[in-house]
Amino acid sequence: MQPVRPFRLVDSHCHLDLQQFDADRVEVVARARAQGVGLIINPGIDLEHCSRALALAEQIEELYVAVGIHPNSAESFDEPVLESLEKLAKHPKVVAIGEIGLDFYWKASTPETQRRVFIQQLELAATLGLPVIIHSRDANHAVREILGDWINSRLFQRSPLARRPFAGVLHAYSGDLALAEEAYRWNFVLGLGGPVTFRNAHGLRELVPKLRLDRLLLETDAPYLAPHPFRGRRNEPAYIALVCETLAQLFALTPEEIAIQTTATALRFFGLEDRFGVDFSGHVTAVHS
Ligand code: NI
């Protein structure tokens, strides 16, 4: 039995494995704990970083991992990498496949390569029954088409993923209300982070209160996308509290209400309800590890 450590917030997307945290990772995790962040999901960007994140997750109790090849690393993807991802995904701390998707902004590889790598990893997720963490930059149209085909495929429909509460998350959500509604039909949720706090993000801040609160995950995407007033500096999971406060303002709710709902969704999304219990005040406690 773990010592009871109540928490209220989840950072559903944080690259704690990156070198930006090498000098002070222990302090970063301690600051997150002090803000009530009890669960941090570290998505992979390439095979080396997936292994690195898993090694960290073996030491840091609240760290869980998604394994996958980021579209900006699509060139590194081949059959042996796919097989390695499948092996890593059996680790008890792996809870998703990601982050995967398309990035037509950086264009680190051709759209054809990115599509192939994305689709093969969606197929892996369906085979393993793990939800997906989707990266989409300047590519919402193509991502929508590929995800729609995947959801309607026989592979997906027959997969254990079709019976889970949620199939995936559109991380750093940048779409409109129509795409959000399409995502709900796919049993997807939306990830919101630092950009909702940016004073000039008018479109996003107008959209947020129209979104379904029961379909949202909080995320930092640290070390990137630090929220106001830390914009432009290194982001860290403790700052998820600032995202929570901004969402509370935009929804005209209390931060506690935002925390309770988004944490409940995160535990269901990552299949961790059996490892954590929520007490009457909405605080989460580790029941067993
Ligand atoms: Ni990311």
Side-chain angles (χ1 to χ4, degrees):
M1 189 85 172
Q2 292 290 325
V4 177
R5 185 186 289 150
F7 70 91
R8 50 191 286 272
L9 290 165
V10 174
D11 185 352
S12 67
H13 194 119
C14 169
H15 299 279
L16 198 65
D17 59 320
L18 295 189
Q19 61 172 22
Q20 284 92 329
F21 295 112
D22 282 353
D24 63 346
R25 195 169 281 110
V26 171
E27 290 86 348
V28 165
V29 172
R31 283 197 291 273
R33 278 179 193 156
Q35 286 295 326
V37 182
L39 181 60
I40 300 170
I41 311 296
N42 190 329
I45 50 174
D46 59 23
L47 194 57
E48 191 193 323
H49 282 90
C50 289
S51 302
R52 212 176 130 95
L54 272 172
L56 289 172
E58 286 171 358
Q59 295 157 27
I60 302 170
E61 189 196 334
E62 50 268 86
L63 193 66
Y64 285 77
V65 174
V67 294
I69 308 301
H70 190 287
N72 292 347
S73 304
E75 290 292 347
S76 73
F77 185 91
D78 56 18
E79 268 318 301
V81 167
L82 180 62
E83 283 164 23
S84 300
L85 287 177
E86 190 167 358
K87 278 199 198 100
L88 290 179
K90 310 277 194 250
H91 191 289
K93 289 205 106 176
V94 170
V95 290
I97 297 295
E99 59 182 290
I100 61 173
L102 301 175
D103 193 315
F104 295 162
Y105 177 82
W106 289 109
K107 295 194 179 90
S109 59
T110 64
E112 293 70 37
T113 300
Q114 291 192 39
R115 282 172 196 269
R116 177 176 54 79
V117 171
F118 182 24
I119 290 169
Q120 282 193 264
Q121 293 184 95
L122 287 172
E123 289 170 357
L124 174 67
T127 305
L128 298 173
L130 288 171
V132 289
I133 298 173
I134 304 296
H135 172 103
S136 172
R137 188 150 183 207
D138 288 358
N140 280 344
H141 184 79
V143 164
R144 180 181 195 159
E145 201 177 273
I146 289 172
L147 288 179
D149 288 348
W150 177 61
I151 292 287
N152 290 313
S153 69
R154 279 161 61 108
L155 177 69
F156 179 88
Q157 292 296 333
R158 292 177 172 186
S159 118
L161 190 48
R163 293 184 293 279
R164 285 179 68 127
F166 302 113
V169 54
L170 299 180
H171 136 70
Y173 188 65
S174 65
D176 56 11
L177 189 59
L179 180 59
E181 284 165 354
E182 179 87 29
Y184 305 151
R185 285 192 287 276
W186 300 331
N187 273 343
F188 264 57
V189 300
L190 312 175
L192 294 178
V196 301
T197 70
F198 296 167
R199 293 297 177 250
N200 57 355
H202 302 295
L204 181 60
R205 290 163 69 94
E206 257 169 51
L207 172 69
V208 164
K210 298 177 191 145
L211 298 176
R212 279 178 59 176
L213 182 56
D214 64 341
R215 293 297 187 101
L216 296 183
L217 297 183
L218 305 186
E219 60 175 45
T220 57
D221 205 12
Y224 313 110
L225 293 175
H228 177 83
F230 301 109
R231 190 173 183 180
R233 292 199 245 160
R234 186 189 72 171
N235 197 0
E236 60 174 75
Y239 297 167
I240 202 83
L242 296 166
V243 175
C244 182
E245 277 163 33
T246 299
L247 286 186
Q249 287 163 15
L250 294 174
F251 277 100
L253 293 169
T254 64
E256 211 51 38
E257 287 169 310
I258 300 290
I260 288 169
Q261 179 65 70
T262 55
T263 291
T265 303
L267 293 178
R268 292 183 73 207
F269 183 94
F270 294 109
L272 292 170
E273 291 160 298
D274 59 337
R275 291 190 222 190
F276 299 94
V278 182
D279 71 19
F280 63 90
S281 64
H283 286 216
V284 182
T285 49
V287 284
H288 48 84
S289 65

